[in-house]
Amino acid sequence: MADQRFAIAMSVMTLFWGIVGGVVPWFIPKGPNRGVIVTMLVLTAVCCYLFWLIAILAQLNPLFGPSLSTDIIWYLNLAWD
Amino acid sequence: MSSLLRGEEMCLAQLFLQSGSAYDCISELGELGLVEFRDLNPNVNSFQRKHVNEIKKCEEMERILGYLLREIKKADISLPESDMNPVSPSPKHIMTIMEQLQRLEVELGEVTRNKEKLQKNLLELTEYTHMLRITRNFVQRSAEREPLQVQYEEFPFLEKDTRMDYSSMQRLGAKLGFISGLIQRAKIEAFERMLWRVCKGYTILSYAEVEEYLEDPDTGEPTKSVVFLISYWGDQIGQKVKKICDCYHCHLYPYPSNNDERNDVVEGLRTRIQDLHTVLHRTEDYLRQVLIKASESVYTWVVQVKKMKAIYYILNLCSFDVTNKCLIAEVWCPVNDIPKLRRALEDGSRKSGATVPSFVNRIPTTDTPPTLIRTNKFTSGFQNIVDAYGVGSYREVNPAPFTIITFPFLFAVMFGDLGHGIIMSLFALWMVRYENNRKLKNTRNEIWNTFFEGRYIILMMGLFSIYTGLIYNDCFSKSLNIFGSGWNVTAMFTAKVWTTEVLKGNNFLTLDPDVTGVFKGPYPFGIDPIWNLASNRLTFLNSYKMKMSVILGIIHMSFGVILSTYNHRYFRKRYNLYLVFLPELLFLLCLFGYLVFMIFYKWLAFTAKDSKLAPSILIHFINMFLMQGDAKQPPEQGKAMEPLYPGQTGLQIFLVVIAVLSVPVLLLGKPVYLRWLQNGGQNRLGMYRGYERVRRNSDEELCLLRSEDMEEGNSHSDPSSSGEHLSKEFNFADEFLHQAIHTIEYCLGCVSNTASYLRLWALSLAHAQLSEVLWAMVMRVGLRMDTALGVVFLVPVFGLFAVLTVSILLVMEGLSAFLHALRLHWVEFQNKFYSGTGVKFCPFSFSLLPSSFEHDGLL
């Protein structure tokens, strides 16, 4: 279940930024600005994907958990399940 | 795109202009803004240049125009807004314009002087009227008191003639004199005291204030005046009084001797004042009409004079050829624009009706051309911030197209907050939407102009901040729980690790990811929202953000090193690829790329079960340099020394050896190779040696050869590549020193620059903390009150929260993050490949010329 969520997230994001960075540049019409737009798309895809990837990989195997106050623990026990 | 990536190819060209059509040709070039003129007479003083008289005439016309504009502004006449662009006048029209301007100046001067004289007259008459009116009151008052006085037998006539006037006093036998006039209110007390001290009782002063404000003729400001009446006995006293009045700048007017005279004077004055008013109105109307008529054409004249002056200035830069019939101008021109340049010269020749057309001729040069990078309204902002560090050298790689994305991205990493990002984007969108609004474009507020010029930068920064805000899960310091947290508290209860007693006995409890069911998986998009509720939030976030900063930094720097290959390949220095680029890249990746690998490996390989054994990456990294590790450490030293993966020691030694070996290659490779090229490579250098001998005989032949090459499009106009093969003096010591400095800078820079990227962590931490403090100290105070009063109280609390958010978090933090992102680009990224020692191409264009009138706010 948890793995499934991770797998879905990973594939969706990879696919999305892969399309933005790899597929959309082929459809930009020829013009004076084509080079700039393609550069922008590729760089955006790389930067945003990398940033998301770092965030999810850092949380993949946590070595310690959050330290919560007892009030919050009471509330979460009842509200989140 | 090639223009934005690298800059345009430029060439030096000679323009041969016929004397008759030179003016028109240059006018055409100014309209198009294609070329940059070079000064062919650098040793000539500006007073000795050929067209200095014409320039003086232009400046005289500008002086008159400035006077006109000031008068128009004073009269509050608005200039017609027009976007028309009048062309520069031909020399014939110049005289007409000059005459018109001079005539206008004379007329305006006369009318203004007349008006001032009339106004002065009016003021005097008005003062006189006031004085007469008020002194009548003095006399009337004493007249009203008369019936109460005791009547003396000796002076029976006082009953009938109860006013003080000359006749009654003369009968008394005293020489009574009157002086009346006006004085400024500020001076009246001093005046009175002075009078008393000097004349001591031989004068009587009565005064009253004038109700309305009168205009002071000297300063033009409304001032209050006081009417006074002095009556004195004796001539000498009179002299003294007159002197004192002079001293205090009083306006004196003759005092009427009796009532009838007074009435006559008042009537006369009234008529005169009315006449004067009419004349003054007519004069003002006439002045206004003159100014309105001038204002219709003054804008055209300003533009025409400006263009004329610019053309003569350019003509001064040209020189005559040997036959003295043709003007020669040297210009820098983009190669792609040469056809346009030819057409412009033809147009100019045609307009001036010359029989022989002017033409253009490319000439070879060893000077470095200026750099031209064509931008549009979107890319110009980013190009400006790159140019602020240094304009690119001719035809080297331009970092701007990459900066368009990486700069806002690094800004957003430091600024990441969803709410603030939305506000910033909306502000930028508003500026972009109304960018054609004249008022926004043409204000003279420097700070606003800076923001407006950077509107696209701010828009990109805002959009990326929204993305990073979503990943950091930070919106005005609160987290969003969109997908459901990955941490489950109930599992701790189910596993009997926590019970109600445990809860009662502790204030804070930590979830243990090792217990089944507590950690269900990473949050799919960003940081898990539970961390916002945790007290050890910063422990987790700091580790995450520091590693993120290092990873982003090393990737950014590697990208910079890879960009240098573009330069090496373009300038045909392939040896640079093997002797400079390869060692640099190996050094960076073997050491710091391996660090990035270790970070990712630790994230992927170590779970909560091994949390006690999880190694510290930093310690492993340091040990890598010290070549330690793999020795069997006693267990109490424990986790830090266990290898991350089998074979780690061997791999690390291998990487360190490669990195260390690449340093001497970087240091010595290029100088030694170049020296070998110069001395050793006989077969290669042989034919160039022969070439050199030929060259010494005929320079022109070589120039022709080179220009032929250029016309065939063979060689690039880069001096260093050809010069390097032919150079006789290759200075080994110079080159070695240069390379040594580069090596030291690069290697030490790798370490320090990697650490420098930690500012990404530092600023994002500061922003998050500020945001949290603002919420906790301001907004939560308002939200805590749960009475009805709380609703009312919340309004000013929210206002304070909004003001502080905008001023501290958006403006101050925004500027701070902007500055640090800029520094990261300028220093850490660009010193890997960019030299930035070029000169910017400044074309001669009328639209780029500054106007001093606009600067003074007159236009």
PDB file of all heavy atoms in Angstrom, chain B residues 486-515:
ATOM      1  N   GLY B 486       2.245  10.428   5.888  1.00  0.00           N
ATOM      2  CA  GLY B 486       2.777   9.073   5.871  1.00  0.00           C
ATOM      3  C   GLY B 486       3.016   8.510   7.251  1.00  0.00           C
ATOM      4  O   GLY B 486       3.437   7.369   7.392  1.00  0.00           O
ATOM      5  N   TRP B 487       2.768   9.314   8.278  1.00  0.00           N
ATOM      6  CA  TRP B 487       3.031   8.852   9.638  1.00  0.00           C
ATOM      7  C   TRP B 487       1.719   8.573  10.353  1.00  0.00           C
ATOM      8  O   TRP B 487       0.781   9.375  10.290  1.00  0.00           O
ATOM      9  CB  TRP B 487       3.823   9.917  10.400  1.00  0.00           C
ATOM     10  CG  TRP B 487       5.198  10.107   9.854  1.00  0.00           C
ATOM     11  CD1 TRP B 487       5.548  10.879   8.798  1.00  0.00           C
ATOM     12  CD2 TRP B 487       6.380   9.512  10.348  1.00  0.00           C
ATOM     13  NE1 TRP B 487       6.894  10.811   8.585  1.00  0.00           N
ATOM     14  CE2 TRP B 487       7.439   9.976   9.542  1.00  0.00           C
ATOM     15  CE3 TRP B 487       6.675   8.629  11.398  1.00  0.00           C
ATOM     16  CZ2 TRP B 487       8.746   9.575   9.730  1.00  0.00           C
ATOM     17  CZ3 TRP B 487       8.003   8.254  11.587  1.00  0.00           C
ATOM     18  CH2 TRP B 487       9.021   8.723  10.751  1.00  0.00           C
ATOM     19  N   ASN B 488       1.664   7.476  11.058  1.00  0.00           N
ATOM     20  CA  ASN B 488       0.432   7.064  11.721  1.00  0.00           C
ATOM     21  C   ASN B 488       0.659   6.964  13.222  1.00  0.00           C
ATOM     22  O   ASN B 488       1.503   6.193  13.686  1.00  0.00           O
ATOM     23  CB  ASN B 488      -0.006   5.698  11.164  1.00  0.00           C
ATOM     24  CG  ASN B 488      -1.401   5.366  11.592  1.00  0.00           C
ATOM     25  OD1 ASN B 488      -1.953   5.965  12.511  1.00  0.00           O
ATOM     26  ND2 ASN B 488      -1.999   4.384  10.926  1.00  0.00           N
ATOM     27  N   VAL B 489      -0.094   7.758  13.992  1.00  0.00           N
ATOM     28  CA  VAL B 489       0.089   7.760  15.447  1.00  0.00           C
ATOM     29  C   VAL B 489      -0.574   6.549  16.081  1.00  0.00           C
ATOM     30  O   VAL B 489      -0.058   5.958  17.047  1.00  0.00           O
ATOM     31  CB  VAL B 489      -0.488   9.062  16.031  1.00  0.00           C
ATOM     32  CG1 VAL B 489      -0.529   9.000  17.540  1.00  0.00           C
ATOM     33  CG2 VAL B 489       0.335  10.235  15.591  1.00  0.00           C
ATOM     34  N   THR B 490      -1.725   6.138  15.525  1.00  0.00           N
ATOM     35  CA  THR B 490      -2.475   5.035  16.140  1.00  0.00           C
ATOM     36  C   THR B 490      -1.656   3.752  16.219  1.00  0.00           C
ATOM     37  O   THR B 490      -1.789   2.953  17.143  1.00  0.00           O
ATOM     38  CB  THR B 490      -3.753   4.769  15.316  1.00  0.00           C
ATOM     39  OG1 THR B 490      -4.266   6.019  14.877  1.00  0.00           O
ATOM     40  CG2 THR B 490      -4.784   4.037  16.128  1.00  0.00           C
ATOM     41  N   ALA B 491      -0.769   3.573  15.237  1.00  0.00           N
ATOM     42  CA  ALA B 491       0.022   2.334  15.220  1.00  0.00           C
ATOM     43  C   ALA B 491       0.878   2.205  16.474  1.00  0.00           C
ATOM     44  O   ALA B 491       1.143   1.090  16.947  1.00  0.00           O
ATOM     45  CB  ALA B 491       0.886   2.300  13.973  1.00  0.00           C
ATOM     46  N   MET B 492       1.319   3.355  17.007  1.00  0.00           N
ATOM     47  CA  MET B 492       2.104   3.296  18.233  1.00  0.00           C
ATOM     48  C   MET B 492       1.267   2.764  19.387  1.00  0.00           C
ATOM     49  O   MET B 492       1.777   2.054  20.256  1.00  0.00           O
ATOM     50  CB  MET B 492       2.637   4.693  18.600  1.00  0.00           C
ATOM     51  CG  MET B 492       3.694   5.225  17.660  1.00  0.00           C
ATOM     52  SD  MET B 492       5.218   4.310  17.696  1.00  0.00           S
ATOM     53  CE  MET B 492       6.012   5.015  19.105  1.00  0.00           C
ATOM     54  N   PHE B 493      -0.017   3.115  19.366  1.00  0.00           N
ATOM     55  CA  PHE B 493      -0.899   2.603  20.416  1.00  0.00           C
ATOM     56  C   PHE B 493      -1.180   1.139  20.197  1.00  0.00           C
ATOM     57  O   PHE B 493      -1.200   0.337  21.131  1.00  0.00           O
ATOM     58  CB  PHE B 493      -2.219   3.401  20.444  1.00  0.00           C
ATOM     59  CG  PHE B 493      -2.065   4.775  21.013  1.00  0.00           C
ATOM     60  CD1 PHE B 493      -1.849   5.864  20.190  1.00  0.00           C
ATOM     61  CD2 PHE B 493      -2.117   4.978  22.383  1.00  0.00           C
ATOM     62  CE1 PHE B 493      -1.710   7.125  20.718  1.00  0.00           C
ATOM     63  CE2 PHE B 493      -1.983   6.235  22.926  1.00  0.00           C
ATOM     64  CZ  PHE B 493      -1.777   7.318  22.093  1.00  0.00           C
ATOM     65  N   THR B 494      -1.438   0.770  18.937  1.00  0.00           N
ATOM     66  CA  THR B 494      -1.749  -0.623  18.631  1.00  0.00           C
ATOM     67  C   THR B 494      -0.599  -1.550  19.008  1.00  0.00           C
ATOM     68  O   THR B 494      -0.802  -2.662  19.461  1.00  0.00           O
ATOM     69  CB  THR B 494      -2.041  -0.794  17.131  1.00  0.00           C
ATOM     70  OG1 THR B 494      -2.475   0.458  16.619  1.00  0.00           O
ATOM     71  CG2 THR B 494      -3.069  -1.872  16.900  1.00  0.00           C
ATOM     72  N   ALA B 495       0.626  -1.028  18.788  1.00  0.00           N
ATOM     73  CA  ALA B 495       1.784  -1.864  19.113  1.00  0.00           C
ATOM     74  C   ALA B 495       2.122  -1.824  20.582  1.00  0.00           C
ATOM     75  O   ALA B 495       3.148  -2.351  20.992  1.00  0.00           O
ATOM     76  CB  ALA B 495       2.967  -1.387  18.277  1.00  0.00           C
ATOM     77  N   LYS B 496       1.292  -1.209  21.374  1.00  0.00           N
ATOM     78  CA  LYS B 496       1.439  -1.152  22.828  1.00  0.00           C
ATOM     79  C   LYS B 496       2.711  -0.455  23.262  1.00  0.00           C
ATOM     80  O   LYS B 496       3.175  -0.643  24.375  1.00  0.00           O
ATOM     81  CB  LYS B 496       1.406  -2.569  23.462  1.00  0.00           C
ATOM     82  CG  LYS B 496       0.155  -3.343  23.213  1.00  0.00           C
ATOM     83  CD  LYS B 496      -0.913  -2.953  24.249  1.00  0.00           C
ATOM     84  CE  LYS B 496      -2.120  -3.865  24.156  1.00  0.00           C
ATOM     85  NZ  LYS B 496      -2.856  -3.668  22.899  1.00  0.00           N
ATOM     86  N   VAL B 497       3.320   0.311  22.371  1.00  0.00           N
ATOM     87  CA  VAL B 497       4.501   1.077  22.773  1.00  0.00           C
ATOM     88  C   VAL B 497       4.063   2.271  23.619  1.00  0.00           C
ATOM     89  O   VAL B 497       4.721   2.661  24.573  1.00  0.00           O
ATOM     90  CB  VAL B 497       5.272   1.574  21.522  1.00  0.00           C
ATOM     91  CG1 VAL B 497       6.466   2.393  21.921  1.00  0.00           C
ATOM     92  CG2 VAL B 497       5.687   0.388  20.680  1.00  0.00           C
ATOM     93  N   TRP B 498       2.925   2.859  23.251  1.00  0.00           N
ATOM     94  CA  TRP B 498       2.374   3.975  24.026  1.00  0.00           C
ATOM     95  C   TRP B 498       1.070   3.541  24.661  1.00  0.00           C
ATOM     96  O   TRP B 498       0.221   2.911  24.029  1.00  0.00           O
ATOM     97  CB  TRP B 498       2.069   5.164  23.092  1.00  0.00           C
ATOM     98  CG  TRP B 498       3.276   5.883  22.585  1.00  0.00           C
ATOM     99  CD1 TRP B 498       4.552   5.719  22.978  1.00  0.00           C
ATOM    100  CD2 TRP B 498       3.271   6.875  21.567  1.00  0.00           C
ATOM    101  NE1 TRP B 498       5.382   6.553  22.277  1.00  0.00           N
ATOM    102  CE2 TRP B 498       4.618   7.281  21.397  1.00  0.00           C
ATOM    103  CE3 TRP B 498       2.300   7.471  20.776  1.00  0.00           C
ATOM    104  CZ2 TRP B 498       4.985   8.243  20.486  1.00  0.00           C
ATOM    105  CZ3 TRP B 498       2.682   8.426  19.882  1.00  0.00           C
ATOM    106  CH2 TRP B 498       4.012   8.815  19.734  1.00  0.00           C
ATOM    107  N   THR B 499       0.934   3.893  25.925  1.00  0.00           N
ATOM    108  CA  THR B 499      -0.352   3.701  26.577  1.00  0.00           C
ATOM    109  C   THR B 499      -0.757   5.019  27.205  1.00  0.00           C
ATOM    110  O   THR B 499       0.007   5.981  27.189  1.00  0.00           O
ATOM    111  CB  THR B 499      -0.247   2.632  27.691  1.00  0.00           C
ATOM    112  OG1 THR B 499       0.783   3.065  28.582  1.00  0.00           O
ATOM    113  CG2 THR B 499       0.086   1.294  27.099  1.00  0.00           C
ATOM    114  N   THR B 500      -1.940   5.042  27.813  1.00  0.00           N
ATOM    115  CA  THR B 500      -2.391   6.301  28.408  1.00  0.00           C
ATOM    116  C   THR B 500      -1.471   6.734  29.536  1.00  0.00           C
ATOM    117  O   THR B 500      -1.239   7.918  29.746  1.00  0.00           O
ATOM    118  CB  THR B 500      -3.824   6.175  28.956  1.00  0.00           C
ATOM    119  OG1 THR B 500      -4.110   4.797  29.192  1.00  0.00           O
ATOM    120  CG2 THR B 500      -4.824   6.722  27.967  1.00  0.00           C
ATOM    121  N   GLU B 501      -0.878   5.757  30.253  1.00  0.00           N
ATOM    122  CA  GLU B 501       0.023   6.166  31.324  1.00  0.00           C
ATOM    123  C   GLU B 501       1.251   6.835  30.745  1.00  0.00           C
ATOM    124  O   GLU B 501       1.750   7.831  31.274  1.00  0.00           O
ATOM    125  CB  GLU B 501       0.485   4.967  32.155  1.00  0.00           C
ATOM    126  CG  GLU B 501      -0.552   4.370  33.072  1.00  0.00           C
ATOM    127  CD  GLU B 501      -1.516   3.475  32.321  1.00  0.00           C
ATOM    128  OE1 GLU B 501      -1.041   2.785  31.399  1.00  0.00           O
ATOM    129  OE2 GLU B 501      -2.712   3.493  32.636  1.00  0.00           O
ATOM    130  N   VAL B 502       1.757   6.237  29.660  1.00  0.00           N
ATOM    131  CA  VAL B 502       2.940   6.835  29.027  1.00  0.00           C
ATOM    132  C   VAL B 502       2.628   8.260  28.600  1.00  0.00           C
ATOM    133  O   VAL B 502       3.422   9.180  28.798  1.00  0.00           O
ATOM    134  CB  VAL B 502       3.369   5.994  27.791  1.00  0.00           C
ATOM    135  CG1 VAL B 502       4.464   6.706  27.030  1.00  0.00           C
ATOM    136  CG2 VAL B 502       3.833   4.630  28.241  1.00  0.00           C
ATOM    137  N   LEU B 503       1.435   8.424  28.045  1.00  0.00           N
ATOM    138  CA  LEU B 503       1.055   9.773  27.589  1.00  0.00           C
ATOM    139  C   LEU B 503       0.972  10.732  28.755  1.00  0.00           C
ATOM    140  O   LEU B 503       1.412  11.873  28.676  1.00  0.00           O
ATOM    141  CB  LEU B 503      -0.307   9.722  26.883  1.00  0.00           C
ATOM    142  CG  LEU B 503      -0.298   9.325  25.420  1.00  0.00           C
ATOM    143  CD1 LEU B 503      -1.684   9.466  24.838  1.00  0.00           C
ATOM    144  CD2 LEU B 503       0.652  10.194  24.630  1.00  0.00           C
ATOM    145  N   LYS B 504       0.389  10.233  29.893  1.00  0.00           N
ATOM    146  CA  LYS B 504       0.234  11.152  31.012  1.00  0.00           C
ATOM    147  C   LYS B 504       1.566  11.509  31.609  1.00  0.00           C
ATOM    148  O   LYS B 504       1.743  12.584  32.159  1.00  0.00           O
ATOM    149  CB  LYS B 504      -0.656  10.498  32.081  1.00  0.00           C
ATOM    150  CG  LYS B 504      -2.111  10.449  31.710  1.00  0.00           C
ATOM    151  CD  LYS B 504      -3.006  10.366  32.936  1.00  0.00           C
ATOM    152  CE  LYS B 504      -4.447  10.175  32.505  1.00  0.00           C
ATOM    153  NZ  LYS B 504      -4.923   8.802  32.661  1.00  0.00           N
ATOM    154  N   GLY B 505       2.518  10.593  31.518  1.00  0.00           N
ATOM    155  CA  GLY B 505       3.776  10.839  32.207  1.00  0.00           C
ATOM    156  C   GLY B 505       4.771  11.670  31.415  1.00  0.00           C
ATOM    157  O   GLY B 505       5.799  12.073  31.943  1.00  0.00           O
ATOM    158  N   ASN B 506       4.480  11.953  30.130  1.00  0.00           N
ATOM    159  CA  ASN B 506       5.466  12.667  29.307  1.00  0.00           C
ATOM    160  C   ASN B 506       4.817  13.840  28.609  1.00  0.00           C
ATOM    161  O   ASN B 506       3.627  13.839  28.348  1.00  0.00           O
ATOM    162  CB  ASN B 506       6.024  11.730  28.222  1.00  0.00           C
ATOM    163  CG  ASN B 506       6.957  10.717  28.813  1.00  0.00           C
ATOM    164  OD1 ASN B 506       7.869  11.041  29.546  1.00  0.00           O
ATOM    165  ND2 ASN B 506       6.715   9.456  28.487  1.00  0.00           N
ATOM    166  N   ASN B 507       5.647  14.836  28.330  1.00  0.00           N
ATOM    167  CA  ASN B 507       5.169  15.973  27.538  1.00  0.00           C
ATOM    168  C   ASN B 507       5.356  15.753  26.055  1.00  0.00           C
ATOM    169  O   ASN B 507       4.524  16.163  25.248  1.00  0.00           O
ATOM    170  CB  ASN B 507       5.932  17.245  27.934  1.00  0.00           C
ATOM    171  CG  ASN B 507       5.333  17.876  29.164  1.00  0.00           C
ATOM    172  OD1 ASN B 507       4.146  17.718  29.422  1.00  0.00           O
ATOM    173  ND2 ASN B 507       6.144  18.573  29.927  1.00  0.00           N
ATOM    174  N   PHE B 508       6.498  15.137  25.685  1.00  0.00           N
ATOM    175  CA  PHE B 508       6.794  14.936  24.265  1.00  0.00           C
ATOM    176  C   PHE B 508       7.146  13.481  24.034  1.00  0.00           C
ATOM    177  O   PHE B 508       7.885  12.879  24.800  1.00  0.00           O
ATOM    178  CB  PHE B 508       7.979  15.803  23.811  1.00  0.00           C
ATOM    179  CG  PHE B 508       7.627  17.247  23.652  1.00  0.00           C
ATOM    180  CD1 PHE B 508       7.835  18.136  24.692  1.00  0.00           C
ATOM    181  CD2 PHE B 508       7.062  17.705  22.474  1.00  0.00           C
ATOM    182  CE1 PHE B 508       7.501  19.467  24.548  1.00  0.00           C
ATOM    183  CE2 PHE B 508       6.724  19.031  22.332  1.00  0.00           C
ATOM    184  CZ  PHE B 508       6.939  19.914  23.368  1.00  0.00           C
ATOM    185  N   LEU B 509       6.624  12.907  22.984  1.00  0.00           N
ATOM    186  CA  LEU B 509       6.948  11.534  22.642  1.00  0.00           C
ATOM    187  C   LEU B 509       7.333  11.483  21.173  1.00  0.00           C
ATOM    188  O   LEU B 509       6.763  12.204  20.344  1.00  0.00           O
ATOM    189  CB  LEU B 509       5.740  10.620  22.877  1.00  0.00           C
ATOM    190  CG  LEU B 509       5.387  10.418  24.356  1.00  0.00           C
ATOM    191  CD1 LEU B 509       4.047   9.743  24.483  1.00  0.00           C
ATOM    192  CD2 LEU B 509       6.475   9.587  25.034  1.00  0.00           C
ATOM    193  N   THR B 510       8.304  10.619  20.893  1.00  0.00           N
ATOM    194  CA  THR B 510       8.794  10.533  19.508  1.00  0.00           C
ATOM    195  C   THR B 510       8.256   9.280  18.848  1.00  0.00           C
ATOM    196  O   THR B 510       8.341   8.181  19.408  1.00  0.00           O
ATOM    197  CB  THR B 510      10.327  10.478  19.517  1.00  0.00           C
ATOM    198  OG1 THR B 510      10.799  11.537  20.338  1.00  0.00           O
ATOM    199  CG2 THR B 510      10.877  10.646  18.125  1.00  0.00           C
ATOM    200  N   LEU B 511       7.734   9.446  17.612  1.00  0.00           N
ATOM    201  CA  LEU B 511       7.295   8.266  16.869  1.00  0.00           C
ATOM    202  C   LEU B 511       8.516   7.481  16.429  1.00  0.00           C
ATOM    203  O   LEU B 511       9.549   8.041  16.077  1.00  0.00           O
ATOM    204  CB  LEU B 511       6.489   8.682  15.631  1.00  0.00           C
ATOM    205  CG  LEU B 511       5.043   9.044  15.869  1.00  0.00           C
ATOM    206  CD1 LEU B 511       4.867  10.521  15.991  1.00  0.00           C
ATOM    207  CD2 LEU B 511       4.200   8.538  14.730  1.00  0.00           C
ATOM    208  N   ASP B 512       8.396   6.174  16.462  1.00  0.00           N
ATOM    209  CA  ASP B 512       9.502   5.321  16.083  1.00  0.00           C
ATOM    210  C   ASP B 512       9.188   4.662  14.746  1.00  0.00           C
ATOM    211  O   ASP B 512       8.274   3.852  14.649  1.00  0.00           O
ATOM    212  CB  ASP B 512       9.696   4.259  17.164  1.00  0.00           C
ATOM    213  CG  ASP B 512      10.944   3.452  16.930  1.00  0.00           C
ATOM    214  OD1 ASP B 512      11.607   3.673  15.892  1.00  0.00           O
ATOM    215  OD2 ASP B 512      11.255   2.602  17.773  1.00  0.00           O
ATOM    216  N   PRO B 513       9.937   4.989  13.698  1.00  0.00           N
ATOM    217  CA  PRO B 513       9.604   4.398  12.390  1.00  0.00           C
ATOM    218  C   PRO B 513       9.860   2.908  12.320  1.00  0.00           C
ATOM    219  O   PRO B 513       9.423   2.245  11.384  1.00  0.00           O
ATOM    220  CB  PRO B 513      10.523   5.172  11.421  1.00  0.00           C
ATOM    221  CG  PRO B 513      11.612   5.717  12.264  1.00  0.00           C
ATOM    222  CD  PRO B 513      11.050   5.933  13.605  1.00  0.00           C
ATOM    223  N   ASP B 514      10.584   2.395  13.321  1.00  0.00           N
ATOM    224  CA  ASP B 514      10.867   0.969  13.321  1.00  0.00           C
ATOM    225  C   ASP B 514       9.629   0.147  13.653  1.00  0.00           C
ATOM    226  O   ASP B 514       9.512  -1.004  13.267  1.00  0.00           O
ATOM    227  CB  ASP B 514      11.958   0.690  14.350  1.00  0.00           C
ATOM    228  CG  ASP B 514      12.923  -0.357  13.858  1.00  0.00           C
ATOM    229  OD1 ASP B 514      12.681  -0.890  12.757  1.00  0.00           O
ATOM    230  OD2 ASP B 514      13.899  -0.623  14.569  1.00  0.00           O
ATOM    231  N   VAL B 515       8.698   0.724  14.405  1.00  0.00           N
ATOM    232  CA  VAL B 515       7.476   0.000  14.777  1.00  0.00           C
ATOM    233  C   VAL B 515       6.604  -0.140  13.539  1.00  0.00           C
ATOM    234  O   VAL B 515       6.458   0.806  12.758  1.00  0.00           O
ATOM    235  CB  VAL B 515       6.732   0.782  15.876  1.00  0.00           C
ATOM    236  CG1 VAL B 515       5.406   0.151  16.199  1.00  0.00           C
ATOM    237  CG2 VAL B 515       7.617   0.922  17.103  1.00  0.00           C
TER     238      VAL B 515
END
